[in-house]
């Protein structure tokens, strides 16, 4: 796994946000308009044919403007390259969602072609240095006007619903490889999605294909979606994507993709999500940081094909780990930020408001696994978590895939379980207070909260059902959390285990034979 690449991608997202925050009115004096190329026929079918044709030939990397100049456009220099919003695509009408563009720089040197579609015809948006605030002393002024120097784009708030869209943070960003992200209903961005993930968590290098071209089809009415088409290309595959993007209380994206493989791929990750988890109340090294928790997501949620709801708290392991959850026709999965209490973070970057992202399959995805890759990290700048769908059948050269799914950027799952949910996982030394603590014994405390537990008759206790892949369980207890909150229960249990191999753990609460909670899964790494 290329950790430095993940670090770099996270920095690009931070730079992206900083560039927007620096936006002012000083550059608005000069009126700039978009220049368009000659019209050519375009449709999703044409794009799929183009991706198929590309996959039949050797890969050719996207062009890059003068590398010696681009590598000097660092974090600070890129922050000064503000796109002139008066030159936004559809700034004055034609679509609900204006679109602005990002410049190439040190962290994203590859160019991306941008096109606008109307009535079945596409016209390329011509790069012009005057679209950006490139002063005469800026290093970017040394770049030629041709070829293009676009690297990505922003989708802004709906003009009809937010007339002040120029002063608001964009709601969707596509920038860097096949990465994109969106604002959640709590007004924050956080984790990212990707078009594809190839070989994350493996000993061989991870491959990062690029979205090399985009086409924009405007939303004519206030409630219509913006349509974005994308051509994906990389050494191992090519693909055609269609994004139907709509701003709701968060952002909803309907995504359709057609993929064509050039080479065999060891681990093909579809509908991937990427996030950051450093530490939480579960495990925190002593005095590693002044904040109680630091993470963009705190768990993986699964809604299986059989209807089971599962919560798997995230880990920051000592080595790269990959967990596979076998399923058939999954109903959904996502990386969520469940903990919404500011005091649990104490950070002005507002981790408690970070969005959750949920993948909802459209159609039958068949057999495969939801794979969770967890990578060691020692700082919050690294995106170290990947969740994705891996089909059961091997991904071999010449194979094609058709995929449809809905991506929800919200505060929570769009279809939460009616059962009680896991709200905290805590680890400590096993044994009893006041007595010598036995070596190799770890205590676990798992908290659940929800209506089924709140409605229990007086005197009725739920029963914790705990199983582990190895080791010996003892001291299994259940109690109501003494905080006065109805339906808030916690179970404690000790695990004695030898060796350092991971232990797969499972727990849920029941009354008689009826489940009261979702299923808690956890991978424990003995020291």
């Amino acid at each position: 796994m290329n950790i430095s690449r993940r670090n770099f991608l996270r920095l690009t997202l931070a730079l992206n946000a900083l560039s927007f925050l620096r936006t002012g009115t000083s550059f608005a004096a000069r009126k700039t308009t978009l220049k368009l190329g000659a019209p050519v026929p375009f449709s999703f079918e044409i794009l799929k044919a183009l991706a198929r044709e590309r996959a039949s030939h050797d890969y050719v990397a996207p062009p890059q403007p003068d590398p010696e100049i681009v590598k000097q456009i660092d974090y600070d220099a890129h922050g000064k390259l503000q796109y002139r919003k008066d030159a936004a695509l559809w700034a004055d009408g034609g679509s609900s969602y204006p679109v602005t563009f990002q410049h190439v720089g040190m962290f994203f040197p590859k160019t991306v072609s941008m096109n606008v579609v109307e009535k079945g015809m596409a016209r390329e948006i011509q790069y012009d240095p005057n679209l950006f605030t490139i002063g005469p002393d800026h290093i970017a002024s040394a770049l030629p006007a041709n070829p293009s120097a676009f690297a990505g784009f922003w989708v802004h708030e709906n003009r009809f619903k937010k007339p002040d869209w120029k002063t608001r943070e964009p709601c969707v960003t596509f920038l860097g490889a096949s990465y994109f992200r969106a604002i959640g209903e709590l007004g924050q961005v956080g984790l990212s999605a990707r078009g594809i993930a190839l070989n994350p968590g493996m000993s061989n290098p991870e491959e990062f294909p690029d979205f090399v071209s985009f086409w924009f089809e405007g939303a004519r009415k206030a409630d219509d979606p913006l349509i974005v088409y994308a051509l994906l290309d990389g050494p191992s595959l090519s693909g055609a994507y269609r994004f139907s993007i709509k701003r709701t209380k968060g952002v909803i994206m309907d995504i359709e993709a057609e993929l064509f493989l050039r080479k065999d791929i060891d681990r093909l990750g579809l509908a991937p999500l990427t996030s950051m988890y450093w530490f939480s109340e579960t495990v925190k090294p002593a005095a590693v940081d002044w904040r109680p928790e630091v993470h963009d997501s705190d768990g993986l949620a699964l809604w299986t094909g059989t209807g089971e709801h599962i919560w798997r708290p995230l880990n920051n392991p000592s080595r790269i780990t990959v967990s596979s959850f076998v399923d058939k026709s999954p109903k959904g999965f996502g990386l969520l930020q469940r903990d919404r209490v500011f005091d649990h973070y104490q950070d002005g970057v507002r981790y408690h408001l970070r969005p959750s992202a949920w993948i909802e399959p459209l159609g039958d995805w068949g057999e495969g696994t939801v794979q969770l890759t967890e990578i060691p990290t020692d700082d919050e700048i690294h995106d170290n978590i990947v969740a994705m769908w891996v089909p059961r059948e091997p991904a071999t050269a010449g194979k094609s895939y058709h995929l449809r799914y809905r991506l929800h950027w919200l505060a929570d799952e769009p279809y939460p379980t009616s059962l009680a949910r896991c709200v905290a996982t805590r680890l400590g030394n096993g044994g009893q207070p006041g007595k010598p603590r036995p070596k190799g014994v770890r205590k676990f405390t798992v908290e659940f909260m929800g209506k089924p537990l709140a409605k229990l008759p007086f005197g009725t206790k739920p029963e914790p059902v705990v199983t582990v892949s190895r080791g010996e369980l003892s001291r299994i207890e259940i109690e109501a959390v003494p905080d006065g909150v109805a339906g808030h229960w916690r179970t404690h249990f000790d695990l004695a285990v030898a060796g350092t191999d991971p232990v797969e753990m499972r727990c849920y609460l029941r009354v008689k034979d009826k489940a009261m909670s979702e299923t808690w899964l956890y991978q424990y790494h003995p020291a």
Side-chain angles (χ1 to χ4, degrees), residues 158-185:
N158 191 315
R159 295 172 51 252
F160 296 114
K161 298 180 179 180
K162 305 290 184 184
D164 58 344
W165 63 270
K166 290 183 180 180
T167 63
R168 290 177 174 268
E169 184 176 355
C171 58
V172 175
T173 303
F174 280 73
L175 182 64
S178 69
Y179 282 73
F180 58 98
R181 64 178 184 170
I183 200 166
E185 63 188 281

Side-chain angles (χ1 to χ4, degrees), residues 302-315:
L302 305 167
W303 188 14
T304 71
T306 60
E308 184 179 19
H309 286 266
I310 293 172
W311 176 249
R312 163 58 155 81
L314 297 177
N315 274 320

